Amino acid sequence: MMVSLKERNQVEFQQKLQANMKQNHIDVLLLTSQENIFYATGYSSKFLSLMKQPGVAYAIVPAEGTCKLIINNFEKQTADLQCKNIDIIQYDSWIFIDDGEEKSDKKTTQMNLNQSYQIVQELISKISPTPVIGVEPLSLTWKLTEQLYSDYGADHVIDVTNELLKVRVIKTEWEIEILRHAAKLAEKATQLTAQELIPGMNEFDMNAIYRKHIDALDNHAINTTLVTSIGPNYSAPFILRDYALKDGDIVRLDGGVNYYGYQSDVARTFVIGAHATEEQQSKFDALYEGFSKGLSLVKPGVRLADLFETVNGTIQKVGIPNYFRGHQGHSIGVSAFSEEAPFIAPNQDLVFQENMVFCLEVPYYSTKGGYNIEDEFLVTKDGIERFTQANESLNWPS
């Protein structure tokens, strides 16, 4: 089944946020990150993603009533087309739009962030004269933080980062369908890419092949994030490398696509050309055993920390004694970085719950090759639904 923003139920997302706000006695959420603005309103700002400057877009969620999106005049048309059941208020930018409305002949050099904040003040003043405001400190500038403290008092401006993660970790049915499709899309493109790779190709070739297959499978995927390891080059490059594949090299294809604002993240490791050596396969087998053991235990009520200890301990016991990582997987959703909290990590007392979507992964890096086995799954009432199915051998795809 194909899904899109048209099926997104804005009221459902608003109610989830407002229920948490009432539990924590918060009058208004002032959201400044691209991810949480999208989560609250259904709109992801292109300019905010590029400029990374708080105030380019805001979302305001009152404890009661409709969510508000504050967006620049150039993006408002897109927001009007994509969003429903929210209030959209525009502010001015440097951009002139001839739409028949009366215009001011004074323009700021870029976004008029003073105006966007004035709109925030006006909206909050209508909610409460002494509001408790939930904010995201990591997406605030110091200047904006000081302004909020000055206007509302430091004791009335509180960090709701963890509360937002609690809301986001339990997925709606629409989110589950989006994530399921995105995971399967990434898995299929990874398999098709692996089938085309031959000695002499490099990372530029890999990325071009992967993008080609994503576009052919579903051109609604708006971005691809593919992290590769080739032979001895295990680290993640921003600028791709010219290293040419050699017969017998280990290849790790890790990542996925952004599909209607949601991420996917799967990893496949395999050998190019010749069959894997005994040393290569033994490393893979140890990782796969820890991975499989971990997946078999996931169900509602299992502590994330206990799953970490099982996966990490199994890999150490069966083949890689010095193996240790900070986490063995993560939740996945709207975060621009596919790894989002909570993590399958030590001291993580959170337990799996129905309708969580997670990635389980077992990366291993050395100058003899970068490995990872990673799949996505949905936590169900009695266990899990695997969105993807990792290969069991380095001699893949056959």
Side-chain angles (χ1 to χ4, degrees), residues 279-300:
E279 180 184 4
Q280 289 171 333
Q281 190 63 50
S282 67
K283 285 284 191 296
F284 184 88
D285 289 343
L287 296 168
Y288 192 82
E289 187 164 342
F291 175 80
S292 299
K293 180 67 173 177
L295 275 182
S296 71
L297 297 179
V298 181
K299 62 180 179 181

Side-chain angles (χ1 to χ4, degrees), residues 128-166:
S128 170
T130 56
V132 175
I133 304 172
V135 299
E136 309 170 76
L138 287 178
S139 63
L140 294 176
T141 60
W142 179 242
K143 179 181 178 181
L144 183 53
T145 302
E146 285 190 315
Q147 186 68 58
L148 289 168
Y149 286 173
S150 174
D151 291 343
Y152 303 104
D155 58 339
H156 277 232
V157 180
I158 63 173
D159 181 358
V160 292
T161 302
N162 290 334
E163 294 304 319
L164 291 169
L165 289 170
K166 287 179 185 177

Side-chain angles (χ1 to χ4, degrees), residues 114-241:
N114 288 331
Q115 188 183 36
S116 68
Y117 185 72
Q118 288 171 2
I119 295 170
V120 166
Q121 290 176 306
E122 291 169 7
L123 291 172
I124 291 178
S125 69
K126 296 176 182 178
I127 296 171
S128 170
T130 56
V132 175
I133 304 172
V135 299
E136 309 170 76
L138 287 178
S139 63
L140 294 176
T141 60
W142 179 242
K143 179 181 178 181
L144 183 53
T145 302
E146 285 190 315
Q147 186 68 58
L148 289 168
Y149 286 173
S150 174
D151 291 343
Y152 303 104
D155 58 339
H156 277 232
V157 180
I158 63 173
D159 181 358
V160 292
T161 302
N162 290 334
E163 294 304 319
L164 291 169
L165 289 170
K166 287 179 185 177
V167 173
R168 281 170 32 189
V169 73
I170 305 296
K171 304 300 191 287
T172 68
E173 288 301 317
W174 177 81
E175 289 181 291
I176 290 168
E177 190 58 37
I178 288 280
L179 288 163
R180 181 188 288 115
H181 183 78
K184 292 182 180 299
L185 181 60
E187 179 179 49
K188 185 63 176 176
T190 300
Q191 180 182 11
L192 292 171
T193 300
Q195 289 173 342
E196 287 194 38
L197 296 181
I198 58 174
M201 289 183 173
N202 60 27
E203 288 174 329
F204 294 92
D205 299 315
M206 288 188 195
N207 279 263
I209 293 168
Y210 187 82
R211 182 73 245 185
K212 174 189 72 175
H213 288 303
I214 289 293
D215 288 341
L217 291 165
D218 190 330
N219 59 15
H220 290 90
I222 60 175
N223 191 30
T224 62
T225 304
L226 191 62
V227 181
T228 58
S229 295
I230 304 175
N233 297 322
Y234 63 84
S235 63
F238 180 70
I239 299 173
L240 300 179
R241 297 165 289 209

Side-chain angles (χ1 to χ4, degrees), residues 296-300 302 353-354 378-385:
S296 71
L297 297 179
V298 181
K299 62 180 179 181
V302 173
Q353 300 175 59
E354 188 176 1
L378 167 70
V379 182
T380 63
K381 182 179 180 181
D382 301 313
I384 63 171
E385 173 198 338

